[in-house]
Amino acid sequence: MHGPAILCRSLSIATRTDRYGNRWQYHSRSDHHSKVACWGVVFDLLRTNTLLRRHVQEGVVAFGINHEMRDFVHDRKKNLDLVLCTPSGAPGGRPAGAGTLVELAREYDILLNEAEAAELKGLPVLTRAPVGSVLIALEAKACMTAHQRALPRLYDELNSSHLTVHGSSDQAIAAGFTMVNIAGRYLSPDLNKRNRAREPEWSVHRQPRDAQLAVDKIRQLPKRSKPGDTGYDALAIVVVDCVNDGSPVRLIEAAPSPRPGEIYHYAAMIDRLSHTYSTRFGDL
């Protein structure tokens, strides 16, 4: 699976610029990390699922960005980072911006190695279109600093996502991707707006305790095995070491990262998404 490596490689380059001219690898006010993570999930799913590739080739599946889903039961709404969908027949034409998954990679400053680029080139062209029926809704969140204080909001945001998705369409697949930072110190954009160059203020973490707290909280999110139940259809936890000072972002595979075979491991999430898609949408 390539998604986590692509995410770390792409976040190793400072591409986000704040109002003071500072360039950051990760910025909490930007959704760049979420977009890159969701792009990687779609890439890996296309690579591994023959049915999805056929649906894309036939033009019956497209993608949408920042799609608003509304819970029919409670009338709440939420914008999802990226969705796989059937194209809408409503007038309005193609949305502005990147029109294919390949163009989206350039728009998001996604860095692929030669092997990944070759695989992407060999896949059917996934195009952007007005969203009809949502098939897979992707939500990506990160816990990078102040872990314990951030956990209630992180949990609430992730929990509201699957509730909104399934409140809109019980057949839709709700997938969650979470990134947890295990770096011992961190350069926060919020604390280093004017002073980054001369007197940087470092946030110090108690690791691996802080990362473990975040991982344990994410594991509490509800999961479901069939339509009609409440929870995520698939959920992944990825642990990274991101100091946010320009040094490379490293993917961490040791504890507290989920181990291969565990349901929260990224590869297990892709496998579950692939199986659920093939079972649920075989007659699309």
Side-chain angles (χ1 to χ4, degrees):
M1 298 299 170
H2 299 314
I6 291 171
L7 177 63
C8 289
R9 191 184 310 124
S10 300
L11 292 186
S12 292
I13 306 300
T15 60
R16 306 299 102 183
T17 305
D18 65 19
R19 59 182 294 189
Y20 302 101
N22 299 308
R23 290 177 67 82
W24 300 96
Q25 297 159 271
Y26 173 92
H27 199 297
S28 59
R29 303 290 189 273
S30 168
D31 62 357
H32 175 246
H33 57 284
S34 299
K35 302 300 189 190
V36 175
C38 290
W39 189 97
V41 171
V42 172
F43 177 49
D44 279 330
L45 193 57
L46 265 174
R47 291 175 52 248
T48 55
N49 189 287
T50 55
L51 178 65
L52 177 59
R53 289 199 299 273
R54 177 162 63 83
H55 285 164
V56 170
Q57 186 72 52
E58 295 171 351
V60 296
V61 170
F63 73 88
I65 301 170
N66 292 329
H67 174 64
E68 180 185 289
M69 294 194 76
R70 186 179 292 271
D71 182 343
F72 177 76
V73 178
H74 299 99
D75 196 26
R76 59 189 161 200
K77 60 184 179 181
K78 188 174 183 65
N79 286 346
L80 277 299
D81 293 315
L82 194 151
V83 299
L84 293 179
C85 59
T86 59
S88 171
R94 186 176 71 81
T100 68
L101 194 67
V102 174
E103 293 173 2
L104 203 62
R106 291 194 290 267
E107 182 177 305
Y108 290 168
D109 297 310
I110 291 174
L111 298 181
L112 304 178
N113 61 30
E114 289 186 8
E116 293 158 355
E119 279 203 76
L120 178 62
K121 187 176 180 180
L123 294 173
V125 178
L126 179 62
T127 59
R128 187 177 179 185
V131 177
S133 297
V134 173
L135 307 175
I136 299 178
L138 297 171
E139 176 82 320
K141 294 294 181 185
C143 184
M144 302 299 287
T145 190
H147 296 67
Q148 192 162 3
R149 189 170 69 246
L151 292 185
R153 181 177 179 181
L154 175 69
Y155 183 93
D156 288 346
E157 289 181 347
L158 286 166
N159 198 47
S160 68
S161 178
H162 73 81
L163 289 171
T164 303
V165 170
H166 294 141
S168 173
S169 171
D170 191 51
Q171 290 296 313
I173 299 170
F177 179 102
T178 54
M179 178 172 68
V180 176
N181 190 17
I182 200 171
R185 65 175 190 164
Y186 178 76
L187 199 61
S188 167
D190 288 336
L191 300 178
N192 293 275
K193 297 172 183 177
R194 296 180 182 273
N195 60 316
R196 176 177 176 176
R198 61 181 187 277
E199 290 183 54
E201 181 176 343
W202 290 95
S203 299
V204 179
H205 305 147
R206 292 177 57 192
Q207 300 292 13
R209 170 189 174 274
D210 289 349
Q212 185 69 65
L213 287 173
V215 169
D216 290 344
K217 188 65 176 181
I218 295 164
R219 287 174 180 265
Q220 295 174 15
L221 286 161
K223 300 163 289 295
R224 71 176 194 168
S225 60
K226 63 182 185 300
D229 290 347
T230 298
Y232 275 100
D233 296 278
L235 181 62
I237 302 171
V238 171
V239 178
V240 302
D241 187 323
C242 176
V243 182
N244 210 27
D245 65 346
S247 57
V249 177
R250 296 189 301 117
L251 180 65
I252 303 300
E253 298 182 355
S257 178
R259 308 303 299 154
E262 294 182 4
I263 61 173
Y264 301 100
H265 192 270
Y266 179 83
M269 184 265 280
I270 295 295
D271 288 344
R272 184 167 183 83
L273 273 180
S274 180
H275 174 75
T276 305
Y277 181 90
S278 296
T279 302
R280 202 167 295 177
F281 303 118
D283 296 329
L284 191 66

